[in-house]
Amino acid sequence: IQEVQQRLALKFDLEEKWLDSRLQFYNLKPDQEMNTLVYEEKNMIWIPRILFSNTKNDLTSERDEKSFAKVVRNMNFNGSLIGPEVSEDILVYEGRLNEIKINRVYEVEFICTYDMIYYPFDIQTCTLDMVIHGNTAKFINLLPGMLKYTGGSDFAQYYVMDYDIYNSKIKDKMGVKVSLRLGRRL
């Protein structure tokens, strides 16, 4: 927490999940850990890019060696065999029914305007503002998922009072905000 610089530095694990009807997956296993995509496979598919809009340089989510992608097999649907022209038994799973999931840990400094008018009895609310990057937002919706806070609750000057995740309009686009309320130790 840097009040003078108007910054809040956070380390977080962002998980994105989506369906892509253009894809087919072969021989998916029931255990999603066995359906991990290697780096070359990650580069072959479309991955939604998320813009962290309240950062100094408008940082975005990344597809790199630090990101971990896998396919989650839908257990309600079985795969279908490829036609007789193929000599192997290959089960095909449709992308519209089987979710792609990608995780990556980020360390980002967010801009947070600290209101010091009630100092030392102030309560600060900082947000992480996320929207879909580029014109892709016309075709997909960014929805809030599960928020799990695992960090400490007490800091030098503040403590974490509350946190939440919700849909919000951000720079004329629908996006997701994560709010963090900080109370000052008296």
Side-chain angles (χ1 to χ4, degrees):
I1 299 171
Q2 301 168 354
E3 294 168 329
V4 175
Q5 293 84 8
Q6 302 285 305
R7 301 276 187 262
L8 174 68
L10 295 174
K11 181 177 181 179
F12 59 96
D13 183 358
L14 178 67
E15 180 178 89
E16 299 175 62
K17 297 190 266 187
W18 71 98
L19 299 169
D20 193 335
S21 62
R22 303 168 296 173
L23 299 178
Q24 290 183 329
F25 305 106
Y26 293 167
N27 298 325
L28 291 178
K29 309 290 186 258
D31 180 5
Q32 62 183 285
E33 301 302 323
M34 300 297 290
N35 301 325
T36 302
L37 301 177
V38 295
Y39 184 70
E40 292 78 24
E41 291 170 326
K42 280 191 298 188
N43 286 333
M44 292 170 54
I45 65 172
W46 173 81
I47 295 177
R49 245 173 124 185
I50 295 177
L51 170 70
F52 305 118
S53 67
N54 61 334
T55 58
K56 184 178 178 183
N57 297 322
D58 284 339
L59 299 175
T60 61
S61 60
E62 301 197 21
R63 171 195 351 211
D64 57 10
E65 291 86 10
K66 294 179 183 177
S67 59
F68 185 73
K70 55 190 162 190
V71 180
V72 181
R73 179 176 149 190
N74 186 335
M75 300 308 266
N76 295 326
F77 296 95
N78 290 324
S80 58
L81 286 172
I82 288 186
E85 65 275 358
V86 178
S87 61
E88 300 177 49
D89 286 339
I90 298 175
L91 288 174
V92 179
Y93 294 85
E94 298 295 324
R96 65 185 175 83
L97 301 172
N98 298 281
E99 194 172 68
I100 303 167
K101 189 188 316 187
I102 189 165
N103 287 70
R104 187 179 189 283
V105 174
Y106 294 90
E107 290 185 42
V108 179
E109 271 194 6
F110 290 91
I111 297 169
C112 180
T113 306
Y114 296 96
D115 184 4
M116 306 302 281
I117 194 166
Y118 294 112
Y119 175 85
F121 307 105
D122 54 319
I123 294 175
Q124 306 298 333
T125 302
C126 295
T127 62
L128 292 68
D129 299 347
M130 297 177 280
V131 294
I132 295 294
H133 186 261
N135 62 356
T136 313
K138 295 179 191 248
F139 307 105
I140 60 174
N141 294 322
L142 188 60
L143 301 173
M146 183 183 74
L147 176 63
K148 182 177 165 187
Y149 182 79
T150 59
S153 58
D154 290 323
F155 301 103
Q157 294 181 3
Y158 291 100
Y159 67 97
V160 177
M161 293 177 69
D162 191 20
Y163 52 89
D164 195 13
I165 185 169
Y166 52 92
N167 278 108
S168 180
K169 195 162 189 132
I170 302 167
K171 295 184 180 178
D172 297 326
K173 290 183 182 179
M174 279 309 291
V176 170
K177 279 190 185 251
V178 175
S179 69
L180 191 62
R181 285 188 39 191
L182 305 169
R184 190 177 296 273
R185 290 270 172 235
L186 299 177

